[in-house]
Amino acid sequence: MGKLNLSTTTQNNSNLESFFQQRVDQFLKTHIKSNNIIDESIVYALEAPGKRVRPTLLYLVSDALTLELDHADAIAGALETIHTYSLVHDDLPCMDDDDLRRGQPSLHKKYNEATAVLAGDAMQSMAIEMLLDNQHFTEKQNNLLAKMLLETIGSKGMILGQALDIEYESREANESEILLMCELKTGVLIEFCFLAPLMIADASNEKWERLGKIVGISFQLIDDLLDLQETSENLGKKSQKDIIRNKKNYPISFGEKKTVELLDAYKAEANNLLQELNLDEHYLSNYIMNLFDRRI
Ligand code: GRG
């Protein structure tokens, strides 16, 4: 049932979440020194109060597979760095054009557009360096992880998802196209939180893989619902923006009711998979179930 001594590290879910948040933040702090304007802007984006969902999932899946947490630090740091780069570029005027991110001015507002493009580019290199420099794994394992991450975020993964998101602003998209777009632009990076430790532990199986896929797609569906239902103040980013930009996300195209029904079905399936994987008493189960109920 995992190596983490939860009784000594944390008493409840919120302590556990801040334990993982602090852990990845500490890793990032020691890896990124603010020596120049690009590093300074990267620290600005990374230190902003994000939820650290991807590192937390990565640590919990690693623990469930009885991997050591310090072996996962570099993967957690790389994931948060890639995720933050995607937000920095997503906020640019040529993308989703958002002035507010994580409750503070977007990077291009605090600095300028050129700095935001360059900082995002540098964050991608930085993340891959973190994986390749991980002293806890063999060179072969580090190379495999780097290749997996590059495929995940490349032109057949996250970037394609973002390209489809933009393409659908000017044309209709059917249900399977929208679900694929959700999986690519957001889901695949979350799936990586499952697939990376599974690869290291040599423990891949269909149930784990399906769990990662469902959690990833659901995360975007919930994000789309929250965009319609919550205030900008609560989200720390501009809400109601998808309708204004003619986005074809799931609730806009098929309604909030159908989105909630789909999410209920995914949540029930995730719950069953967690039980079949004998994880119902592991904190990963609590964390995943709470992700389905999140309001930020
Ligand atoms: C290469 C120019 C260029 C752009 C790429 C990759 C990319 C732009 C965009 C990725 C798509 C994207 C930003 C999807 C949004 C995913 C999502 C739900 C973000 C919010 O994640 P949270 O809620 O945020 O985990 P925090 O701030 O808590 O970390």
Side-chain angles (χ1 to χ4, degrees):
M1 180 51 63
K3 293 184 172 230
L4 193 61
N5 187 351
L6 295 172
S7 58
T8 55
T9 52
T10 181
Q11 321 288 311
N12 58 40
N13 275 338
S14 79
N15 282 355
L16 184 68
E17 281 181 50
S18 63
F19 169 74
F20 289 130
Q21 284 165 2
Q22 284 163 24
R23 189 171 180 109
V24 71
D25 286 354
Q26 188 53 42
F27 175 86
L28 291 169
K29 215 169 241 150
T30 56
H31 274 73
I32 306 166
K33 299 276 183 276
S34 184
N35 293 324
N36 55 49
I37 181 70
I38 294 299
D39 289 341
E40 185 195 305
S41 69
I42 290 172
V43 170
Y44 172 79
L46 282 171
E47 283 188 348
K51 297 184 290 295
R52 312 295 190 250
V53 169
R54 294 145 194 84
T56 303
L57 277 172
L58 187 271
Y59 282 127
L60 286 170
V61 173
S62 298
D63 185 67
L65 295 169
T66 69
L67 298 174
E68 302 286 348
L69 287 190
D70 56 351
H71 294 195
D73 284 334
I75 315 176
L79 274 164
E80 190 61 21
T81 304
I82 290 292
H83 166 58
T84 305
Y85 126 70
S86 81
L87 301 179
V88 167
H89 278 190
D90 192 51
D91 289 339
L92 285 166
C94 63
M95 297 275 160
D96 273 10
D97 194 10
D98 269 315
D99 294 352
L100 185 68
R101 173 63 66 180
R102 294 174 164 173
Q104 63 183 37
S106 307
L107 197 147
H108 69 275
K109 281 288 168 190
K110 171 81 178 171
Y111 295 87
N112 54 56
E113 284 178 37
T115 304
V117 171
L118 296 172
D121 292 344
M123 278 190 263
Q124 296 178 66
S125 327
M126 219 172 238
I128 298 303
E129 276 185 303
M130 286 175 198
L131 292 182
L132 293 178
D133 289 346
N134 189 353
Q135 299 301 314
H136 295 288
F137 299 141
T138 64
E139 200 179 326
K140 191 175 170 204
Q141 285 173 316
N142 287 343
N143 287 342
L144 269 172
L145 283 170
K147 190 165 186 298
M148 267 173 74
L149 186 62
L150 288 166
E151 282 172 5
T152 299
I153 65 175
S155 65
K156 294 184 179 58
M158 187 171 78
I159 292 288
L160 176 58
Q162 179 77 350
L164 294 174
D165 180 89
I166 293 166
E167 183 187 329
Y168 298 161
E169 284 177 23
S170 52
R171 77 155 171 95
E172 291 307 315
N174 65 34
E175 186 174 4
S176 61
E177 285 176 320
I178 288 179
L179 286 174
L180 179 63
M181 186 246 301
C182 288
E183 183 179 0
L184 292 175
K185 81 168 175 169
T186 305
V188 291
L189 197 60
I190 290 179
E191 276 180 83
F192 184 89
C193 307
F194 293 75
L195 299 181
L198 283 167
M199 190 273 281
I200 294 294
D202 199 14
S204 279
N205 68 44
E206 281 176 10
K207 290 187 183 14
W208 268 111
E209 287 167 15
R210 177 74 185 156
L211 183 64
K213 190 180 282 253
I214 292 174
V215 173
I217 295 173
S218 300
F219 195 82
Q220 183 59 52
L221 293 174
I222 296 163
D223 197 74
D224 293 335
L225 269 182
L226 294 178
D227 177 71
L228 290 172
Q229 296 172 346
E230 289 293 336
T231 61
S232 304
E233 196 186 14
N234 188 33
L235 296 178
K237 60 182 179 180
K238 195 159 176 278
S239 64
Q240 318 276 332
K241 67 179 185 349
D242 286 351
I243 282 203
I244 298 164
R245 289 185 63 90
N246 199 29
K247 291 283 184 197
K248 306 301 184 315
N249 72 31
Y250 200 92
I252 287 175
S253 301
F254 307 109
E256 294 182 43
K257 185 167 172 279
K258 190 167 168 183
T259 312
V260 171
E261 284 165 8
L262 180 60
L263 279 166
D264 284 346
Y266 280 148
K267 185 179 179 183
E269 189 182 348
N271 197 29
N272 285 340
L273 286 165
L274 287 160
Q275 285 182 24
E276 285 165 21
L277 290 163
N278 292 321
L279 291 168
D280 34 337
E281 285 179 26
H282 192 276
Y283 271 71
L284 178 64
S285 294
N286 273 343
Y287 188 70
I288 288 177
M289 288 301 119
N290 287 342
L291 280 183
F292 277 96
D293 298 328
R294 73 191 174 97
R295 295 309 301 172
I296 54 169

PDB file of all heavy atoms in Angstrom, residues 217-229:
ATOM      1  N   ILE A 217      -9.088  13.385 -19.189  1.00  0.00           N
ATOM      2  CA  ILE A 217     -10.187  13.996 -19.960  1.00  0.00           C
ATOM      3  C   ILE A 217     -11.136  14.734 -19.006  1.00  0.00           C
ATOM      4  O   ILE A 217     -11.571  15.856 -19.278  1.00  0.00           O
ATOM      5  CB  ILE A 217     -10.969  12.927 -20.765  1.00  0.00           C
ATOM      6  CG1 ILE A 217     -10.074  12.297 -21.826  1.00  0.00           C
ATOM      7  CG2 ILE A 217     -12.217  13.524 -21.414  1.00  0.00           C
ATOM      8  CD1 ILE A 217     -10.690  11.121 -22.575  1.00  0.00           C
ATOM      9  N   SER A 218     -11.419  14.093 -17.863  1.00  0.00           N
ATOM     10  CA  SER A 218     -12.365  14.702 -16.916  1.00  0.00           C
ATOM     11  C   SER A 218     -11.842  16.038 -16.407  1.00  0.00           C
ATOM     12  O   SER A 218     -12.619  16.970 -16.182  1.00  0.00           O
ATOM     13  CB  SER A 218     -12.603  13.768 -15.721  1.00  0.00           C
ATOM     14  OG  SER A 218     -13.139  12.553 -16.169  1.00  0.00           O
ATOM     15  N   PHE A 219     -10.522  16.123 -16.211  1.00  0.00           N
ATOM     16  CA  PHE A 219      -9.954  17.378 -15.684  1.00  0.00           C
ATOM     17  C   PHE A 219     -10.317  18.547 -16.615  1.00  0.00           C
ATOM     18  O   PHE A 219     -10.690  19.620 -16.152  1.00  0.00           O
ATOM     19  CB  PHE A 219      -8.434  17.257 -15.521  1.00  0.00           C
ATOM     20  CG  PHE A 219      -7.856  18.343 -14.670  1.00  0.00           C
ATOM     21  CD1 PHE A 219      -7.887  18.259 -13.285  1.00  0.00           C
ATOM     22  CD2 PHE A 219      -7.303  19.486 -15.240  1.00  0.00           C
ATOM     23  CE1 PHE A 219      -7.386  19.291 -12.486  1.00  0.00           C
ATOM     24  CE2 PHE A 219      -6.793  20.513 -14.454  1.00  0.00           C
ATOM     25  CZ  PHE A 219      -6.832  20.409 -13.070  1.00  0.00           C
ATOM     26  N   GLN A 220     -10.229  18.324 -17.930  1.00  0.00           N
ATOM     27  CA  GLN A 220     -10.573  19.393 -18.875  1.00  0.00           C
ATOM     28  C   GLN A 220     -12.077  19.660 -18.895  1.00  0.00           C
ATOM     29  O   GLN A 220     -12.513  20.811 -18.968  1.00  0.00           O
ATOM     30  CB  GLN A 220     -10.071  19.053 -20.286  1.00  0.00           C
ATOM     31  CG  GLN A 220     -10.330  20.148 -21.312  1.00  0.00           C
ATOM     32  CD  GLN A 220      -9.688  21.475 -20.937  1.00  0.00           C
ATOM     33  OE1 GLN A 220      -8.505  21.542 -20.652  1.00  0.00           O
ATOM     34  NE2 GLN A 220     -10.472  22.555 -20.899  1.00  0.00           N
ATOM     35  N   LEU A 221     -12.893  18.586 -18.811  1.00  0.00           N
ATOM     36  CA  LEU A 221     -14.356  18.790 -18.814  1.00  0.00           C
ATOM     37  C   LEU A 221     -14.773  19.631 -17.608  1.00  0.00           C
ATOM     38  O   LEU A 221     -15.623  20.522 -17.712  1.00  0.00           O
ATOM     39  CB  LEU A 221     -15.091  17.437 -18.780  1.00  0.00           C
ATOM     40  CG  LEU A 221     -14.937  16.549 -20.022  1.00  0.00           C
ATOM     41  CD1 LEU A 221     -15.580  15.180 -19.796  1.00  0.00           C
ATOM     42  CD2 LEU A 221     -15.576  17.226 -21.240  1.00  0.00           C
ATOM     43  N   ILE A 222     -14.151  19.356 -16.440  1.00  0.00           N
ATOM     44  CA  ILE A 222     -14.467  20.130 -15.231  1.00  0.00           C
ATOM     45  C   ILE A 222     -13.996  21.577 -15.415  1.00  0.00           C
ATOM     46  O   ILE A 222     -14.704  22.528 -15.073  1.00  0.00           O
ATOM     47  CB  ILE A 222     -13.818  19.474 -13.983  1.00  0.00           C
ATOM     48  CG1 ILE A 222     -14.431  18.094 -13.761  1.00  0.00           C
ATOM     49  CG2 ILE A 222     -13.991  20.358 -12.743  1.00  0.00           C
ATOM     50  CD1 ILE A 222     -13.628  17.179 -12.843  1.00  0.00           C
ATOM     51  N   ASP A 223     -12.809  21.747 -15.986  1.00  0.00           N
ATOM     52  CA  ASP A 223     -12.292  23.092 -16.254  1.00  0.00           C
ATOM     53  C   ASP A 223     -13.277  23.883 -17.132  1.00  0.00           C
ATOM     54  O   ASP A 223     -13.539  25.054 -16.888  1.00  0.00           O
ATOM     55  CB  ASP A 223     -10.925  22.961 -16.954  1.00  0.00           C
ATOM     56  CG  ASP A 223     -10.112  24.235 -16.915  1.00  0.00           C
ATOM     57  OD1 ASP A 223      -9.591  24.557 -15.832  1.00  0.00           O
ATOM     58  OD2 ASP A 223     -10.032  24.925 -17.953  1.00  0.00           O
ATOM     59  N   ASP A 224     -13.840  23.202 -18.134  1.00  0.00           N
ATOM     60  CA  ASP A 224     -14.790  23.869 -19.033  1.00  0.00           C
ATOM     61  C   ASP A 224     -16.086  24.231 -18.302  1.00  0.00           C
ATOM     62  O   ASP A 224     -16.670  25.292 -18.543  1.00  0.00           O
ATOM     63  CB  ASP A 224     -15.111  22.951 -20.230  1.00  0.00           C
ATOM     64  CG  ASP A 224     -13.897  22.743 -21.124  1.00  0.00           C
ATOM     65  OD1 ASP A 224     -12.994  23.601 -21.131  1.00  0.00           O
ATOM     66  OD2 ASP A 224     -13.844  21.694 -21.817  1.00  0.00           O
ATOM     67  N   LEU A 225     -16.544  23.341 -17.408  1.00  0.00           N
ATOM     68  CA  LEU A 225     -17.748  23.649 -16.623  1.00  0.00           C
ATOM     69  C   LEU A 225     -17.487  24.831 -15.687  1.00  0.00           C
ATOM     70  O   LEU A 225     -18.313  25.742 -15.581  1.00  0.00           O
ATOM     71  CB  LEU A 225     -18.122  22.447 -15.745  1.00  0.00           C
ATOM     72  CG  LEU A 225     -19.082  21.402 -16.287  1.00  0.00           C
ATOM     73  CD1 LEU A 225     -19.324  20.339 -15.223  1.00  0.00           C
ATOM     74  CD2 LEU A 225     -20.411  22.038 -16.717  1.00  0.00           C
ATOM     75  N   LEU A 226     -16.320  24.810 -15.021  1.00  0.00           N
ATOM     76  CA  LEU A 226     -16.002  25.879 -14.072  1.00  0.00           C
ATOM     77  C   LEU A 226     -15.897  27.220 -14.781  1.00  0.00           C
ATOM     78  O   LEU A 226     -16.287  28.256 -14.242  1.00  0.00           O
ATOM     79  CB  LEU A 226     -14.693  25.567 -13.322  1.00  0.00           C
ATOM     80  CG  LEU A 226     -14.737  24.356 -12.383  1.00  0.00           C
ATOM     81  CD1 LEU A 226     -13.368  24.116 -11.746  1.00  0.00           C
ATOM     82  CD2 LEU A 226     -15.794  24.540 -11.304  1.00  0.00           C
ATOM     83  N   ASP A 227     -15.393  27.200 -16.016  1.00  0.00           N
ATOM     84  CA  ASP A 227     -15.293  28.440 -16.798  1.00  0.00           C
ATOM     85  C   ASP A 227     -16.680  29.078 -16.956  1.00  0.00           C
ATOM     86  O   ASP A 227     -16.815  30.300 -16.938  1.00  0.00           O
ATOM     87  CB  ASP A 227     -14.674  28.153 -18.172  1.00  0.00           C
ATOM     88  CG  ASP A 227     -14.614  29.402 -19.044  1.00  0.00           C
ATOM     89  OD1 ASP A 227     -13.812  30.291 -18.738  1.00  0.00           O
ATOM     90  OD2 ASP A 227     -15.403  29.496 -20.012  1.00  0.00           O
ATOM     91  N   LEU A 228     -17.713  28.229 -17.085  1.00  0.00           N
ATOM     92  CA  LEU A 228     -19.079  28.745 -17.245  1.00  0.00           C
ATOM     93  C   LEU A 228     -19.716  29.132 -15.912  1.00  0.00           C
ATOM     94  O   LEU A 228     -20.525  30.044 -15.843  1.00  0.00           O
ATOM     95  CB  LEU A 228     -19.979  27.671 -17.892  1.00  0.00           C
ATOM     96  CG  LEU A 228     -19.716  27.332 -19.348  1.00  0.00           C
ATOM     97  CD1 LEU A 228     -20.538  26.123 -19.768  1.00  0.00           C
ATOM     98  CD2 LEU A 228     -20.081  28.528 -20.234  1.00  0.00           C
ATOM     99  N   GLN A 229     -19.322  28.417 -14.837  1.00  0.00           N
ATOM    100  CA  GLN A 229     -20.078  28.531 -13.580  1.00  0.00           C
ATOM    101  C   GLN A 229     -19.430  29.399 -12.509  1.00  0.00           C
ATOM    102  O   GLN A 229     -20.112  29.863 -11.605  1.00  0.00           O
ATOM    103  CB  GLN A 229     -20.286  27.120 -12.995  1.00  0.00           C
ATOM    104  CG  GLN A 229     -21.133  26.221 -13.885  1.00  0.00           C
ATOM    105  CD  GLN A 229     -21.174  24.784 -13.407  1.00  0.00           C
ATOM    106  OE1 GLN A 229     -20.382  24.376 -12.554  1.00  0.00           O
ATOM    107  NE2 GLN A 229     -22.100  23.997 -13.945  1.00  0.00           N
TER     108      GLN A 229
END
